[in-house]
């Protein structure tokens, strides 16, 4: 394995910016796993033009010597995307270096590309090589999932506790001290008794923090401009997520969305200064899940909101957790052993047992048999039916919404790469899945939208509605009509809170 590092990674390393903790952890994993890394020639050119090349640590960033000629796929992208791009010529020129780095992936000079540049990730999806392009955090998660025994942070438990119970000297709070300056101690004392969600590792170090506040129509928003109309809101008072292998960002988002549902908030909002890389990373994550800038406070903080009524505002993640019946629905049989890992009912459980990274992921992957492929597509709804030798456990336990369907996977390597970012299986187990199937499998990426918890929909109820449960076989989704779907979920909390009928 060989990885290409983005220009932004080199700059973060040189400048020792707010992302340095993540960069240090990334290089720790690369060293421990003996993964060769390199920097593309275009990155060297950019660093030279910025007059920082002499500060580069050549041990971490050796030059990629082998650079293949331009491939057909890159030429096609240049013709269909770059030449038709409705931007200034200088912006088109900025894309060319990105494409040159993508070339290294396409022709096999490197196996993975690690960068936090959003535009590169967008281009990678366009080129259909996004399974090989990782953010720093995603690559750390990959290493953590595949090498649990080597992970320096082998467990990370989320708990509810008073703010004052946390160690104020923990390095996690260094950024808070920068933000609040001399006012930090007073601020900490004022919040001392406030209840917060905190992710704590086995060394009692804080890895993530979340504080929520319910607000009603009487809240004073006079310091927000333009006009911020009164309504029932959930405020994210504090949110910081460190870089670990535990997908804590998505875990904490799920806590936020669950709390917004519980208190029947019409909107979720936060205020944020974009003054460091960790806040840029946080802003990117929240934007992807439906938050947008609506104004500023008088002190210059940005105000970001996510509408939280049972309406649809954009794509699946921006709508999350709400969705509708857009084209098709399926009952997906899944054995109890795998259901507990893929679809834990305690996805944000405050339990010492609930620390595996894949349990925190809201974006997951499903492997199905080719023979049962029909109308499954983006937006299809999935009702997960747990199979068990215990009759009372045989029930619909969760709901998912399809993001992408990949039905043209040609090789074991391509299959493993496509599943890698979202699967709870390691590479060896994924290879076994590929080899045990008589036909090439289909990979479905989906959002884990809802868990029925203790209010599952039992086998008996399905059969009363005309569903032949004997036809429900592992890895073979069973298509149902919209009428079937609405009858199955009728009267459930899911129908009341999530489903947009």
């Amino acid at each position: 394995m060989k990885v290409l590092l983005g220009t932004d990674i080199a700059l973060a390393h040189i400048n020792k910016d707010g992302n340095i903790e993540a960069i240090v952890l990334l290089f720790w994993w690369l060293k421990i796993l003996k993964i060769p890394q390199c920097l593309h020639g275009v990155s060297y050119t950019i660093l030279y033009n910025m007059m920082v090349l002499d500060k580069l640590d050549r041990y971490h960033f050796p030059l990629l010597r082998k650079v293949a000629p331009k491939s057909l796929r890159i030429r096609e992208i240049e013709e269909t995307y770059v030449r038709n791009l409705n931007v200034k010529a200088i912006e088109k020129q900025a894309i060319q270096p990105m494409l040159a780095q993508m070339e290294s992936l396409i022709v096999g000079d490197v196996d993975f590309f690690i960068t936090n540049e959003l535009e590169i990730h967008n281009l990678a999806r366009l080129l259909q090589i996004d399974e090989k392009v990782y953010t720093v955090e995603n690559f750390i998660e990959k290493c953590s999932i595949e090498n649990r025994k080597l992970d320096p942070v082998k467990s990370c438990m989320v708990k509810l506790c008073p703010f004052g119970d946390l160690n104020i000297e923990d390095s996690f709070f260094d950024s808070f001290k920068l933000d609040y300056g001399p006012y930090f101690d007073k601020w900490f004392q004022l919040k001392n008794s406030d209840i917060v969600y905190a992710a704590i590792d086995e060394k009692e170090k804080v890895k993530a923090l979340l504080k929520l506040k319910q607000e009603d129509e009487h809240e004073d928003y006079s310091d927000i401009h333009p006009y911020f109309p009164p309504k029932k809101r959930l405020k994210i008072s504090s949110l910081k997520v460190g870089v670990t292998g535990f997908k804590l960002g998505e875990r904490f988002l799920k806590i936020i969305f669950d709390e917004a549902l519980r208190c029947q908030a019409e909107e979720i909002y936060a205020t944020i200064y974009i003054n460091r890389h960790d806040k840029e990373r946080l802003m990117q994550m929240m934007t992807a899940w439906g938050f947008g800038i609506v104004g500023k406070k008088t002190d210059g903080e940005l105000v970001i909101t996510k509408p939280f009524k049972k309406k649809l505002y954009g794509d699946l993640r921006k709508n999350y957790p709400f969705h509708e019946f857009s084209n098709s629905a399926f009952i997906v049989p899944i054995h109890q052993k795998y259901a507990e890992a893929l679809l834990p009912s305690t996805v944000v459980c405050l339990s010492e047992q609930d620390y595996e990274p894949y349990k925190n992921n809201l974006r997951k992957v499903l492997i199905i048999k080719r023979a049962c492929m029909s109308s499954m597509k983006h937006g299809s709804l999935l009702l997960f039916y747990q199979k068990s030798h215990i009759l009372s456990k045989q029930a619909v336990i969760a709901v998912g919404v399809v993001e992408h369907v990949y039905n043209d996977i040609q090789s074991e390597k391509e299959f493993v790469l496509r599943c890698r970012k979202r699967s709870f299986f390691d590479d060896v187990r994924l290879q076994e899945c590929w080899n045990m199937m008589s036909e090439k499998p289909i990979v479905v990426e989906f959002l884990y939208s809802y868990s029925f918890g203790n209010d599952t929909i039992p086998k008996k109820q399905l059969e009363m509605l005309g569903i032949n449960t004997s036809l429900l076989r592992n890895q073979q989704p069973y298509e149902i009509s919209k009428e079937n779907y609405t009858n199955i979920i009728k009267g459930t909390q899911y129908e009341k809170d999530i489903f947009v009928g």
Side-chain angles (χ1 to χ4, degrees):
M1 183 194 300
K2 188 174 187 178
V3 300
L4 179 67
L5 302 171
T7 312
D8 59 311
I9 309 299
L11 279 171
H13 187 271
I14 290 170
N15 297 327
K16 302 292 187 286
D17 69 3
N19 194 35
I20 193 61
E21 180 185 1
I23 301 299
V24 169
L25 185 54
L26 171 66
F27 283 116
W28 183 88
W29 275 113
L30 293 174
K31 180 180 178 180
I32 290 296
L33 299 177
K34 299 179 180 179
I35 300 173
Q37 64 262 5
C38 58
L39 203 64
H40 198 280
V42 299
S43 295
Y44 267 78
T45 301
I46 292 170
L47 297 173
Y48 175 81
N49 292 336
M50 295 176 68
M51 296 191 298
V52 295
L53 187 58
D54 60 323
K55 299 177 183 178
L56 188 69
D57 183 343
R58 305 300 174 93
Y59 171 77
H60 286 314
F61 302 96
L63 177 66
L64 175 63
R65 298 292 179 183
K66 183 181 177 184
V67 181
K70 196 174 290 186
S71 70
L72 177 61
R73 288 171 73 182
I74 290 292
R75 292 201 298 271
E76 288 174 347
I77 289 295
E78 287 178 330
E79 291 174 3
T80 60
Y81 181 74
V82 179
R83 293 180 186 176
N84 296 326
L85 203 60
N86 187 26
V87 295
K88 296 177 182 177
I90 192 169
E91 293 176 358
K92 290 185 179 181
Q93 290 175 4
I95 294 174
Q96 296 293 348
M98 300 180 196
L99 291 172
Q101 294 174 86
M102 301 284 195
E103 190 75 44
S104 305
L105 280 176
I106 291 172
V107 300
D109 290 346
V110 294
D111 298 288
F112 298 105
F113 186 12
I114 306 174
T115 177
N116 287 333
E117 292 288 343
L118 183 60
E119 188 61 39
I120 291 179
H121 286 270
N122 291 338
L123 285 172
R125 181 164 287 281
L126 197 63
L127 284 161
Q128 298 183 342
I129 55 170
D130 52 295
E131 75 279 6
K132 300 178 182 180
V133 182
Y134 283 77
T135 63
V136 172
E137 189 167 9
N138 287 156
F139 199 81
I140 290 170
E141 288 168 357
K142 164 184 162 63
C143 295
S144 176
I145 289 171
E146 295 174 1
N147 304 277
R148 301 300 295 139
K149 292 181 180 179
L150 297 176
D151 194 341
V153 183
K154 293 184 177 64
S155 65
C156 200
M157 181 183 69
V158 175
K159 66 178 183 179
L160 270 172
C161 65
F163 199 11
D165 284 2
L166 303 176
N167 179 11
I168 194 174
E169 301 303 323
D170 194 305
S171 60
F172 179 85
F173 290 108
D174 287 352
S175 62
F176 286 84
K177 293 173 183 176
L178 285 172
D179 287 342
Y180 288 93
Y183 181 64
F184 174 78
D185 288 339
K186 184 178 180 181
W187 172 78
F188 192 86
Q189 289 300 319
L190 283 172
K191 305 296 181 183
N192 208 40
S193 59
D194 290 355
I195 301 300
V196 298
Y197 292 90
I200 311 293
D201 72 15
E202 60 182 8
K203 297 177 183 177
E204 296 298 311
K205 302 287 286 182
V206 183
K207 294 299 179 184
L209 177 75
L210 170 65
K211 181 179 178 296
L212 299 172
K213 178 191 175 188
Q214 294 181 36
E215 296 180 349
D216 60 23
E217 296 85 350
H218 304 293
E219 195 73 27
D220 180 11
Y221 298 122
S222 59
D223 62 342
I224 296 177
H225 306 280
Y227 177 64
F228 201 51
K231 62 177 65 173
K232 196 171 185 180
R233 290 187 172 93
L234 180 68
K235 180 181 181 181
I236 305 171
S237 300
S238 295
L239 175 59
K240 180 183 176 184
V241 180
V243 176
T244 68
F246 287 85
K247 301 184 184 292
L248 292 173
E250 290 191 18
R251 182 187 184 116
F252 275 39
L253 279 175
K254 186 65 166 65
I255 292 174
I256 292 166
F257 298 150
D258 284 351
E259 180 62 16
L261 283 171
R262 192 191 67 77
C263 71
Q264 298 182 322
E266 298 173 73
E267 192 169 69
I268 307 170
Y269 87 104
T271 61
I272 185 171
Y273 285 115
I274 310 296
N275 56 357
R276 290 193 310 274
H277 180 84
D278 62 323
K279 293 192 176 182
E280 290 177 4
R281 182 169 59 88
L282 181 63
M283 186 66 178
Q284 283 184 2
M285 177 185 75
M286 296 181 77
T287 300
W289 291 90
F291 287 83
I293 299 171
V294 296
K296 283 186 179 181
K297 294 185 69 176
T298 51
D299 62 4
E301 273 189 295
L302 295 176
V303 179
I304 61 173
T305 66
K306 175 183 171 73
F308 211 73
K309 293 182 179 179
K310 267 185 68 173
K311 294 181 180 178
L312 303 179
Y313 302 92
D315 64 25
L316 295 178
R317 271 189 285 166
K318 292 183 186 298
N319 289 336
Y320 189 92
F322 309 112
H323 54 252
E324 64 181 343
F325 192 108
S326 59
N327 50 59
S328 57
F330 299 81
I331 297 177
V332 181
I334 182 168
H335 194 278
Q336 183 180 353
K337 178 174 67 172
Y338 298 119
E340 291 170 354
L342 182 67
L343 307 161
S345 60
T346 54
V347 69
V348 292
C349 170
L350 307 180
S351 161
E352 293 185 11
Q353 305 304 316
D354 187 33
Y355 56 73
E356 292 298 334
Y358 52 74
K359 289 187 177 180
N360 299 328
N361 203 356
L362 296 181
R363 305 172 68 199
K364 296 176 181 287
V365 70
L366 176 69
I367 302 166
I368 63 176
K369 293 181 178 178
R370 178 166 296 275
C372 58
M373 182 62 190
S374 54
S375 59
M376 189 177 291
K377 62 182 72 171
H378 175 84
S380 293
L381 300 180
L382 309 175
L383 286 173
F384 288 93
Y385 177 80
Q386 180 173 263
K387 299 190 70 177
S388 172
H389 66 280
I390 302 172
L391 183 60
S392 61
K393 297 283 187 180
Q394 296 180 32
V396 172
I397 60 170
V399 182
V401 187
V402 174
E403 276 198 297
H404 303 285
V405 177
Y406 298 95
N407 56 12
D408 191 30
I409 295 175
Q410 297 299 316
S411 67
E412 178 188 282
K413 182 179 180 181
E414 184 183 351
F415 171 74
V416 172
L417 287 173
R418 176 52 64 192
C419 295
R420 176 65 279 143
K421 287 185 181 179
R422 302 193 189 186
S423 178
F424 61 88
F425 288 149
D426 60 19
D427 286 7
V428 173
R429 185 70 181 89
L430 287 171
Q431 289 165 358
E432 290 174 355
C433 288
W434 173 269
N435 292 321
M436 72 171 55
M437 290 194 172
S438 56
E439 293 182 293
K440 295 170 184 174
I442 292 167
V443 174
V444 178
E445 294 177 352
F446 70 96
L447 299 181
Y448 179 23
S449 179
Y450 185 84
S451 168
F452 286 98
N454 294 324
D455 299 319
T456 57
I457 301 170
K459 173 183 179 178
K460 183 178 179 180
Q461 185 173 333
L462 293 182
E463 292 180 337
M464 287 174 61
L465 293 170
I467 305 297
N468 186 351
T469 57
S470 66
L471 298 177
L472 301 179
R473 300 184 178 89
N474 291 342
Q475 296 183 289
Q476 296 186 35
Y478 178 88
E479 187 166 5
I480 56 176
S481 67
K482 182 175 183 178
E483 183 181 7
N484 285 147
Y485 192 88
T486 52
N487 285 336
I488 290 170
I489 66 170
K490 190 174 182 179
T492 63
Q493 202 63 40
Y494 160 72
E495 181 195 32
K496 296 173 186 176
D497 290 345
I498 305 294
F499 185 70
V500 182

